[in-house]
Amino acid sequence: MIRIVTDSTCDLPQELTERYQITVLPLTVSFGTESFRDRVDLKPPDFHARLANSPVFPTTSQVTPAAFAEVYEHFLAQGDSVVVITLSAVLSGTYQSAVIARAKFPRGNIEVIDSRGATLGLGLIVMNAARLVEQGYPLAEVVQHVQQMVENLQYLIVAGTLEYLVRGGRLSAAGGWIGSILKIKPVLEFRDGRPVPKHKIRGERNVIPWLMNYLHSLNLDWSKRTIGLNHCQAPELASAVRVQLKQQLKPGEIIESEAGCVIGAHIGPGAIAIYFEK
């Protein structure tokens, strides 16, 4: 068998990781001296409660090489191949951990791929790989399709605030429009493996109109595409976006989730995001 392995920032719903037998290794979130495995020891609602009340800003830690090595050893002992797809190597050492662990198994059939993204964008890539495996694609073709999707995947992230990205070092203060007028909703995309500013939306009421206008402007056949939709403590906005996506674009599929603790630590509450392959 070909086994798909990823990390917890993929933010895929648990029913999908179970359905496609995807192995998800958790990153770690720490509040001071307290550490928790993302989505294992700490679920998103509990994380946000801590975030709102903690005097300490949370930090995150990568998956270790030892954790990857344990998974590799288990699957290789069964005669399986392994495809690992991680969050952007620019944002975390998780990709490098997977590469370091692979070196311990020189005869193992292990492919490690940098998604150059994160959250449900990574999740869509992972799910697509798992579906290809289920359909019987050989390893080389699975890897080829994944690499193509990495190149083509689009991110539209509307942040509630850029405070968390700047404080966490994922976005520069200059690039984060620090000092902008209140009620500006910054739109981010991923470029070269990191989030970068794309647009400014004035006022929350303009978020959905801007998103829909932008998506319409791409002139894509949405009936053949999967759209990822997730949020960070913004369920009502996500629900409203879902309604408009279904009514206006009629995509082939919408995959929804709430961002996990690691992503929440870096994007902060109030964010919503759309992911699709161009």
Side-chain angles (χ1 to χ4, degrees):
M1 292 184 63
I2 301 173
R3 302 289 186 170
I4 304 298
V5 178
T6 189
D7 62 73
S8 61
T9 68
C10 74
D11 287 341
L12 279 171
Q14 185 175 348
E15 59 265 26
L16 290 179
T17 59
E18 293 177 353
R19 161 72 178 81
Y20 291 105
Q21 301 182 53
I22 298 166
T23 299
V24 181
L25 298 179
L27 277 77
T28 301
V29 179
S30 299
F31 286 89
T33 58
E34 290 187 279
S35 296
F36 307 90
R37 291 172 295 171
D38 184 19
R39 292 187 180 273
V40 178
D41 305 319
L42 191 62
K43 304 295 184 183
D46 298 322
F47 165 78
H48 287 290
R50 280 180 170 268
L51 184 64
N53 298 301
S54 175
V56 180
F57 192 75
T59 58
T60 59
S61 303
Q62 66 204 49
V63 182
T64 65
F68 279 111
E70 184 177 352
V71 170
Y72 296 168
E73 185 173 25
H74 173 73
F75 286 141
L76 294 175
Q78 299 175 174
D80 297 335
S81 302
V82 182
V83 176
V84 185
I85 311 169
T86 73
L87 81 160
S88 172
V90 177
L91 302 180
S92 168
T94 296
Y95 169 79
Q96 190 60 35
S97 290
V99 171
I100 291 170
R102 181 182 59 187
K104 298 181 180 181
F105 303 91
R107 297 184 179 181
N109 215 350
I110 304 169
E111 298 281 351
V112 182
I113 301 170
D114 175 5
S115 73
R116 303 217 304 270
T119 187
L120 195 53
L122 164 61
L124 292 189
I125 296 170
V126 168
M127 190 180 68
N128 184 58
R131 285 176 169 175
L132 292 172
V133 169
E134 186 177 66
Q135 293 166 24
Y137 281 72
L139 179 63
E141 291 190 36
V142 171
V143 171
Q144 181 183 14
H145 279 282
V146 167
Q147 290 171 338
Q148 289 175 347
M149 194 169 180
V150 167
E151 294 295 330
N152 295 330
L153 199 70
Q154 305 295 302
Y155 292 71
L156 290 175
I157 303 171
V158 183
T161 171
L162 291 182
E163 173 191 358
Y164 294 85
L165 282 166
V166 173
R167 289 178 67 180
R170 266 56 182 184
L171 193 70
S172 72
W177 303 308
I178 296 303
S180 291
I181 302 170
L182 292 177
K183 298 184 180 179
I184 289 289
K185 295 292 183 180
V187 182
L188 308 174
E189 61 183 350
F190 263 77
R191 194 182 306 151
D192 298 326
R194 68 169 64 251
V196 296
K198 179 181 181 68
H199 187 72
K200 299 178 187 179
I201 301 174
R202 294 189 177 276
E204 185 165 322
R205 72 179 183 277
N206 292 318
V207 168
I208 295 177
W210 185 88
L211 286 172
M212 299 312 302
N213 287 337
Y214 179 80
L215 295 172
H216 277 298
S217 74
L218 299 175
N219 294 315
L220 299 176
D221 183 354
W222 295 102
S223 67
K224 298 179 180 179
R225 283 175 166 77
T226 295
I227 294 179
L229 170 64
N230 72 337
H231 69 92
C232 188
Q233 290 286 284
E236 293 181 0
L237 180 56
S239 178
V241 171
R242 178 179 67 248
V243 169
Q244 293 305 312
L245 290 173
K246 288 184 175 180
Q247 289 181 353
Q248 296 192 43
L249 301 183
K250 299 178 174 59
E253 179 183 28
I254 298 177
I255 303 296
E256 297 182 60
S257 76
E258 181 177 5
C261 307
V262 168
I263 296 300
H266 293 296
I267 194 65
I272 187 168
I274 292 174
Y275 317 85
F276 57 94
E277 194 170 2
K278 198 169 179 180

